């Protein structure tokens, strides 16, 4: 096993992300299963639990994406409500944490707090909430309140929604329910759950109806990389998903976010940093590289390549050859985006277009091969042994506390990692061989609150 700078050996956190509505998911592969049937979620979650993973994660969007005025249907379109799926999984798992995305912009704190506390009860203390925000009016049209939330307000509302939910969870002391049969008294105070909250975005009062749950409060996850997002995580989150997949960028992100925690009265160990990561395994490095190349071409079909290019150029490019050159004209700088339901990916489209042209010229790439090159590659490519070593290096060198793994296939895409990599992490002494705790906070070494 590897030691780093004489520091105590850290334990690796592993989470399993049932991949969502994006082109990571190769739904067209013969080995792919349903994105809707409960059995797919069950099989995937039970594979993660067999591998002693810390938690299962399910993302969620609140409106179907559109491009060129039509549903973006090259990717998976539509899926059941995340919290409903997690409640079902609570009945078919025993230790695995169950976490999902719930939007703090278009949901109200009272109903969020009730649903999440209920999930924590049903699962015996395994619930987690990935707090996300949205500022686009396109998504807001699906809601009665509808419309627009200024981008500058999205984190202030999210913070207030979260803080209000915590106030609601805390209205029931842990010892409130006495259920004293002899005395005929069910609650200790006779007035549990009372709350009053009046703030910038939330103004509510009443009684919260769900008794204190096993964890006290569900685990809080955050996934923003902006400065306000990092500050939100440092102040309020128990875990943060990051996109920093190299040692150098991972260490910088890790140091930045954890360095912010002291001013909020928190210790760095109270926040787990988990990059989202993909993997391809082979019996040799060469085999893994070949498999990775094949998977990337599945993920970026000719049609997908054109649609992804349109998101930079902000123009209909359906008349372009996916194997041909980039457009000779520059991206259209227009506030009206060709894609709706997704945040714009490029801060400076003209500069990005110049970079892509230079790369295409340097490597002789057509549109599809360029998109494959610039839209990411698998994080871990290699043998189970090399992947286990790399994961351990990231964690021991403070580039991450663990990883949220995103396979390209469901429901069976996690199996080869569980069978091939997990035993090697266990041999290194950096990952559990069995669960020793029953709650999600317990798995992550975090206190109940």
């Amino acid at each position: 096993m590897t030691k780093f700078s004489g520091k105590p050996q850290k334990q690796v956190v592993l989470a399993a992300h049932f991949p969502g509505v994006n082109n990571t998911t190769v739904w067209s592969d013969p080995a792919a299963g349903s994105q809707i049937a409960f059995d797919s979620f069950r099989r995937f979650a039970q594979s993660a639990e067999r591998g002693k993973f810390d938690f299962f994660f399910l993302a969620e969007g609140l409106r179907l994406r559109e491009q060129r005025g039509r549903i973006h249907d090259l990717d998976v379109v539509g899926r059941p409500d995340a919290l409903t799926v997690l409640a079902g999984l609570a009945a078919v798992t025993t230790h695995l944490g169950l976490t999902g995305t719930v939007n703090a912009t278009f949901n109200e704190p009272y109903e969020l707090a009730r649903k999440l506390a209920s999930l924590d009860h049903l699962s015996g203390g395994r619930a987690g909430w990935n707090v996300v925000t949205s500022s686009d009016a396109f998504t807001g049209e699906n809601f009665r309140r509808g419309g627009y939330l200024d981008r500058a307000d999205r984190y202030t509302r999210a913070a207030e929604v979260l803080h209000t939910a915590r106030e609601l969870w805390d209205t029931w002391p842990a010892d409130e329910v006495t259920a004293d049969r002899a005395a005929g008294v069910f609650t200790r105070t006779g007035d549990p759950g009372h709350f009053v909250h009046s703030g910038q975005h939330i103004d509510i009062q009443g009684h919260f109806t769900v008794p204190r749950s096993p964890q006290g409060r569900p685990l809080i996850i955050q996934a923003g990389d902006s400065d306000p997002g990092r500050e939100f995580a440092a102040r309020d989150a128990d875990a943060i998903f990051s996109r920093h997949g190299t040692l150098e960028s991972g260490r910088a992100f890790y140091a930045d976010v954890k360095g912010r925690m002291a001013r909020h009265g928190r210790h760095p160990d109270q926040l787990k940093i988990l990059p989202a990561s993909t993997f391809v395994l082979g019996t040799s490095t060469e085999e893994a590289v070949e498999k990775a190349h094949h998977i990337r071409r599945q993920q970026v079909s000719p049609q997908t390549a054109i649609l992804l290019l349109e998101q930079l150029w902000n123009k209909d490019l359906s008349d372009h050859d996916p194997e041909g050159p980039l457009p000779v004209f520059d991206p259209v700088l227009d506030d009206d985006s060709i894609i709706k339901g997704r945040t714009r990916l490029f801060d400076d489209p003209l500069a990005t277009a110049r970079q892509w042209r230079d790369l295409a010229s340097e490597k002789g790439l057509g549109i599809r091969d360029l998109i494959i090159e610039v839209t990411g590659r698998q994080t871990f490519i290699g043998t189970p042994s090399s992947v286990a070593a790399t994961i351990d290096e990231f964690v021991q060198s403070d580039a991450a506390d663990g990883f949220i793994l995103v396979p390209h296939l469901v429901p069976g895409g996690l199996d080869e990692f569980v069978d091939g990599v997990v035993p090697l992490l266990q041999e290194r002494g950096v990952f559990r061989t069995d669960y020793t705790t029953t709650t999600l906070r317990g798995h992550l070494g975090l206190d109940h609150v």
Side-chain angles (χ1 to χ4, degrees):
M1 74 186 58
T2 306
K3 298 290 186 182
F4 290 82
S5 306
K7 297 191 303 182
Q9 196 171 40
K10 292 166 61 180
Q11 291 294 296
V12 173
V13 176
L14 289 180
H17 179 185
F18 190 101
V21 183
N22 54 56
N23 70 300
T24 297
T25 308
V26 184
W27 59 266
S28 58
D29 191 289
S34 173
Q35 283 265 342
I36 299 172
F38 180 72
D39 193 57
S40 283
F41 299 107
R42 178 192 62 78
R43 286 179 57 195
F44 188 88
Q46 288 179 342
S47 178
E49 187 162 75
R50 180 169 64 84
K52 313 304 177 186
F53 276 46
D54 292 273
F55 63 90
F56 168 100
F57 172 66
L58 187 61
E60 182 167 76
L62 295 179
R63 183 160 181 175
L64 300 179
R65 286 183 288 149
E66 295 181 11
Q67 191 157 333
R68 302 186 205 139
R70 63 186 296 271
I71 298 298
H72 184 100
D73 64 351
L74 293 177
D75 300 343
V76 170
V77 175
R79 207 163 61 182
D81 173 74
L83 287 182
T84 304
V85 172
L86 296 177
L89 293 176
V92 295
T93 56
T94 58
H95 287 78
L96 184 70
L98 301 170
T99 69
T101 294
V102 187
N103 194 298
T105 303
F106 300 116
N107 287 285
E108 298 302 323
Y110 183 83
E111 62 182 350
L112 283 177
R114 287 188 74 243
K115 291 176 180 179
L116 288 159
S118 297
L119 178 61
D120 206 48
H121 277 291
L122 293 174
S123 63
R126 296 184 281 137
W129 172 20
N130 178 39
V131 183
V132 302
T133 68
S134 176
S135 60
D136 72 287
F138 177 75
T139 300
E141 290 173 356
N142 270 354
F143 295 83
R144 181 178 296 174
R145 180 162 47 86
Y148 182 74
L149 178 69
D150 190 276
R151 187 175 181 84
D153 290 336
R154 62 185 186 136
Y155 278 112
T156 59
R157 175 177 166 84
E160 187 173 351
V161 169
L162 173 58
H163 293 163
T164 306
R166 284 175 168 164
E167 290 172 12
L168 297 174
W169 292 326
D170 290 348
T171 59
W172 284 76
D175 61 350
E176 177 65 34
V177 176
T178 59
D180 187 332
R181 292 182 174 86
V185 175
F186 193 79
T187 60
R188 181 174 57 83
T189 66
D191 187 33
H194 179 69
F195 67 87
V196 177
H197 179 96
S198 182
Q200 178 183 353
H201 297 276
I202 310 297
D203 188 5
I204 56 175
Q205 62 179 340
H207 283 81
F208 188 57
T209 60
V210 184
R212 192 78 172 181
S213 71
Q215 292 186 111
R217 301 171 184 169
L219 189 85
I220 301 300
I221 305 169
Q222 198 270 338
D225 192 46
S226 65
D227 189 75
R230 295 181 186 206
E231 198 67 24
F232 184 95
R235 182 184 63 243
D236 289 314
D238 302 303
I240 180 170
F241 297 153
S242 91
R243 62 183 183 183
H244 298 275
T246 67
L247 278 170
E248 182 179 2
S249 66
R251 286 173 180 144
F253 180 82
Y254 192 100
D256 177 69
V257 175
K258 296 217 175 190
R260 299 169 184 244
M261 296 179 69
R263 63 174 172 261
H264 299 294
R266 304 183 69 202
H267 189 277
D269 289 345
Q270 292 177 295
L271 174 67
K272 304 301 180 184
I273 294 180
L274 308 173
S277 305
T278 54
F279 61 91
V280 180
L281 303 176
T283 57
S284 66
T285 300
E286 292 74 20
E287 180 185 79
V289 169
E290 184 177 343
K291 286 174 62 177
H293 177 74
H294 172 69
I295 292 167
R296 288 297 290 138
R297 294 191 75 79
Q298 286 183 299
Q299 292 169 328
V300 184
S301 68
Q303 302 97 312
T304 296
I306 293 297
L307 289 180
L308 291 176
L309 188 69
E310 288 179 346
Q311 292 174 23
L312 172 59
W313 252 260
N314 201 29
K315 182 177 175 59
D316 186 341
L317 301 175
S318 57
D319 59 346
H320 281 61
D321 180 1
E323 307 304 332
L326 291 172
V328 295
F329 52 86
D330 285 337
V332 176
L333 303 181
D334 193 330
D335 288 339
D336 188 15
S337 175
I338 195 171
I339 187 166
K340 298 184 182 299
R342 183 174 187 177
T343 303
R344 279 195 174 181
L345 301 177
F346 309 101
D347 294 329
D348 189 339
L350 294 179
T352 303
R354 285 193 296 271
Q355 294 168 2
W356 286 15
R357 285 175 174 141
D358 290 344
L359 182 61
S361 175
E362 176 188 343
K363 295 191 174 184
L365 302 176
I367 290 173
R368 184 185 183 194
D369 287 330
L370 175 74
I371 293 296
I372 289 172
E373 181 85 9
V374 300
T375 56
R377 60 188 291 276
Q378 292 86 354
T379 312
F380 302 119
I381 303 173
T383 64
S385 179
S386 68
V387 169
T390 303
I391 287 174
D392 193 16
E393 181 182 11
F394 266 79
V395 172
Q396 305 309 330
S397 62
D398 291 341
D401 291 308
F403 293 90
I404 178 164
L405 297 172
V406 191
H408 71 284
L409 294 176
V410 296
L414 200 63
D415 291 338
E416 62 177 345
F417 189 96
V418 168
D419 295 330
V421 179
V422 167
L424 299 178
L425 292 172
Q426 292 168 335
E427 286 180 12
R428 287 172 167 263
V430 297
F431 192 67
R432 66 176 66 84
T433 56
D434 204 353
Y435 292 105
T436 58
T437 52
T438 59
T439 68
L440 177 51
R441 287 185 176 277
H443 299 344
L444 298 181
L446 302 173
D447 291 337
H448 292 192
V449 287

